[in-house]
Amino acid sequence: MAIPGLTNDKIADIKPTVDGLADAILDDIGDAVDRFLEPNKIIKAKRQNGYVLATRGATKANFDAYGDSMLAAFELGHGSGWTVAHQEAWGKCIGNLMDMYRLGVEDFQKEERDKKQAAIEEAKAAADKIKDAIKAAEKEAAEAQKAVEAAEKKRQEEDAKRNKEREEKAKKLASAEAKKSDEELMEERQAKEARMQMVRANQSARMKREA
């Protein structure tokens, strides 16, 4: 569709600049006019165009600025032939097209939000895994420490048991040795007493002979 008095140079002067937006409007405005009463037939394609523009940095505010500037360019292009009816008709067409673009921007923004949320969830899941790994390591370390303490306790108990057994054995040996010594002393005393008796007997016999 030809737009009287409108050129790409004029569109290029519209600010802020979004790569491809001016060309998209020029390409799509004809469809917006032709399907003014049947927007559902073009909304999917224009919405996709809005998504593509959003990937290039376009925002809803950009569409407002471009729409207003585009309408002003149309007015300049028509010159004195521009009327209130033109303002309303072109304003609605451009407004409808910008609204379709905005839907694409919303799709892009939602997709970006979902990606960020997914990244957050992934990072959170990774952090949870790290926390779980730390907890598992701490639990393992605690169990290992308990095992060490239990082994040390068992060793101490076994050492105490062996020491007690050695002490009891030593006491039995000492008691046996003491008992043996007592018996030996008794035997020595008995032997000494026997010798004394023999000496006394010999002395008595000798005294008898001498008498």
Side-chain angles (χ1 to χ4, degrees):
M1 175 183 178
I3 302 176
L6 186 62
T7 67
N8 286 335
D9 290 338
K10 290 182 180 179
I11 295 174
D13 292 334
I14 299 174
K15 303 296 181 182
T17 300
V18 176
D19 183 35
L21 179 51
D23 290 337
I25 295 174
L26 284 177
D27 291 340
D28 292 337
I29 192 63
D31 291 338
V33 172
D34 294 340
R35 298 296 182 181
F36 181 75
L37 298 179
E38 301 174 302
N40 289 339
K41 291 187 176 182
I42 62 171
I43 189 171
K44 184 176 180 180
K46 307 316 173 187
R47 183 172 189 164
Q48 180 60 30
N49 289 348
Y51 177 92
V52 172
L53 292 168
T55 65
R56 299 173 183 171
T59 65
K60 293 179 181 180
N62 293 137
F63 296 141
D64 290 336
Y66 266 76
D68 292 342
S69 297
M70 182 66 72
L71 189 59
F74 281 12
E75 182 177 357
L76 290 174
H78 278 280
S80 60
W82 186 260
T83 66
V84 174
H86 286 102
Q87 180 78 19
E88 292 180 355
W90 282 109
K92 288 180 180 180
C93 285
I94 293 174
N96 287 345
L97 181 60
M98 297 301 105
D99 287 342
M100 294 176 191
Y101 286 166
R102 289 189 187 92
L103 292 176
V105 172
E106 290 176 0
D107 292 340
F108 174 77
Q109 291 175 341
K110 181 180 183 302
E111 186 177 281
E112 290 298 300
R113 286 195 301 270
D114 291 343
K115 287 180 180 179
K116 289 180 180 179
Q117 185 61 36
I120 291 172
E121 294 298 330
E122 184 178 351
K124 183 179 179 182
D128 289 340
K129 286 183 179 179
I130 293 173
K131 289 180 181 178
D132 291 342
I134 292 173
K135 288 181 179 179
E138 290 175 345
K139 182 179 180 181
E140 184 177 350
E143 290 176 350
Q145 181 62 28
K146 288 181 180 178
V148 170
E149 293 174 353
E152 178 63 17
K153 182 179 180 181
K154 184 177 180 181
R155 185 190 67 77
Q156 291 177 356
E157 290 174 349
E158 291 176 348
D159 287 347
K161 182 179 179 181
R162 284 194 293 269
N163 290 335
K164 185 177 181 181
E165 290 175 350
R166 283 196 293 267
E167 290 176 359
E168 290 178 350
K169 186 176 181 180
K171 287 179 181 179
K172 288 180 180 179
L173 290 173
S175 177
E177 290 177 356
K179 184 177 181 181
K180 183 178 179 181
S181 297
D182 291 342
E183 291 176 351
E184 289 175 349
L185 289 173
M186 180 64 72
E187 289 176 356
E188 289 178 359
R189 283 197 298 270
Q190 290 176 349
K192 184 177 180 180
E193 188 174 329
R195 287 194 298 273
M196 291 297 294
Q197 289 178 354
M198 288 179 65
V199 170
R200 286 195 293 269
N202 290 334
Q203 288 177 348
S204 177
R206 189 170 53 252
M207 291 175 64
K208 287 180 179 180
R209 285 195 302 270
E210 292 175 355

